Amino acid sequence: MKEFQDLKDSIRTVPDYPVEGVQFRDITTLLQNPVLFKKMIDGMTKQWTEASIDAILSIESRGFIMAGALAYNLGAAFVPLRKPEKLPYDTYSVSYNLEYGSTDMHIHIDALRSHKKLLIIDDLLATGGTVLASLDLVKKFEGKEVIGAGFVINLPSLGGLDKLKSLNINTKFLIEF
């Protein structure tokens, strides 16, 4: 999207990180620029303003950066999805694969008690494994609807967007590499 070319231009690519063959898209360079950070948050907020979202679920840790601001802008709750042993209360968990490894994701068992319409936010969509794990966590709660998933970056060559489309997940992003 040409509207967000300046965001794309600000993102640093780090070759072979964290493992050989991965082209890591480092958003810290975007976050350091207050004008671009505001543009990113405003752009993501605009995408979901009409969605009537109750809660934003986000994946540790870079997704938290956008999700907190979006939750504030949209008047929604913020629900963190965390790595093992990071949440102090009883949790549900799922195991999933990343582009360069595997891990577990956790959510408090009471995190979605009063929330029905959910949005999943992360910084980057690659293979879709993290979002699919998030969807699996949501399935552990009854009566919840995932309205969509939002990202700053989409990496179309890794197939995550196609996986989400096949599940009819409304997916939005600002830029692609």
Side-chain angles (χ1 to χ4, degrees):
M1 298 179 176
K2 289 186 178 191
E3 177 183 1
F4 298 106
Q5 185 63 42
D6 51 351
L7 300 184
K8 184 174 182 177
D9 292 343
S10 75
I11 295 170
R12 173 177 34 218
T13 299
V14 181
D16 299 322
Y17 181 84
V19 297
E20 189 172 333
V22 172
Q23 298 293 307
F24 187 84
R25 305 303 177 172
D26 179 11
I27 65 166
T28 61
T29 48
L30 183 159
L31 301 174
Q32 293 164 3
N33 182 318
V35 172
L36 295 180
F37 181 77
K38 182 178 184 336
K39 184 175 183 178
M40 174 188 71
I41 295 300
D42 290 348
M44 294 181 80
T45 299
K46 184 178 178 183
Q47 292 175 327
W48 301 103
T49 299
E50 303 297 321
S52 300
I53 295 160
D54 297 320
I56 294 179
L57 284 64
S58 189
I59 296 103
E60 185 172 355
S61 66
R62 289 180 310 272
F64 288 2
I65 297 164
M66 299 96 200
L70 288 172
Y72 176 81
N73 283 350
L74 297 172
F78 170 72
V79 178
L81 304 178
R82 303 284 320 259
K83 295 174 184 170
E85 300 181 25
K86 297 289 184 179
L87 291 173
Y89 187 63
D90 296 335
T91 65
Y92 293 126
S93 67
V94 294
S95 297
Y96 68 104
N97 294 319
L98 300 163
E99 181 183 356
Y100 43 81
S102 63
T103 191
D104 294 336
M105 182 185 305
H106 294 253
I107 187 172
H108 278 141
I109 61 171
D110 60 354
L112 300 178
R113 184 175 300 150
S114 62
H115 310 298
K116 296 190 183 322
K117 294 186 176 188
L118 314 174
L119 174 63
I120 298 169
I121 293 291
D122 206 357
D123 65 321
L124 182 137
L125 175 59
T127 64
T130 307
V131 180
L132 295 174
S134 301
L135 293 169
D136 286 344
L137 277 178
V138 170
K139 289 177 186 173
K140 296 180 183 286
F141 299 87
E142 291 184 26
K144 309 304 175 187
E145 176 186 4
V146 175
I147 301 297
F151 308 89
V152 177
I153 302 167
N154 177 40
L155 303 177
S157 65
L158 296 178
L161 183 61
D162 293 334
K163 289 176 188 172
L164 295 181
K165 284 183 177 179
S166 74
L167 297 172
N168 294 315
I169 301 297
N170 183 10
T171 306
K172 299 178 187 291
F173 53 88
L174 300 178
I175 57 177
E176 287 186 318
F177 280 93

